[in-house]
Amino acid sequence: MGRAAGGAVAYERARDEAVEEMLLERLARTDALAERAAGCRAAPSRTALRCGP
């Protein structure tokens, strides 16, 4: 693989990682908003919400 091709692969990988991080941050903010709106908090597993007292 030439230097140009290697650079393109590295760029795409870095770009994909940046997009993934942005989406994960957006998901975390949305989860927090939904939890506050519902009066719930995340269960330890983060796959379910516990609502109420």
Side-chain angles (χ1 to χ4, degrees), residues 8 11 18 25-26 34 37 46:
Y11 171 81
E25 289 172 5
R26 189 178 293 177
R46 294 285 296 158

Side-chain angles (χ1 to χ4, degrees), residues 42-49:
S45 68
R46 294 285 296 158
T47 59
L49 294 176

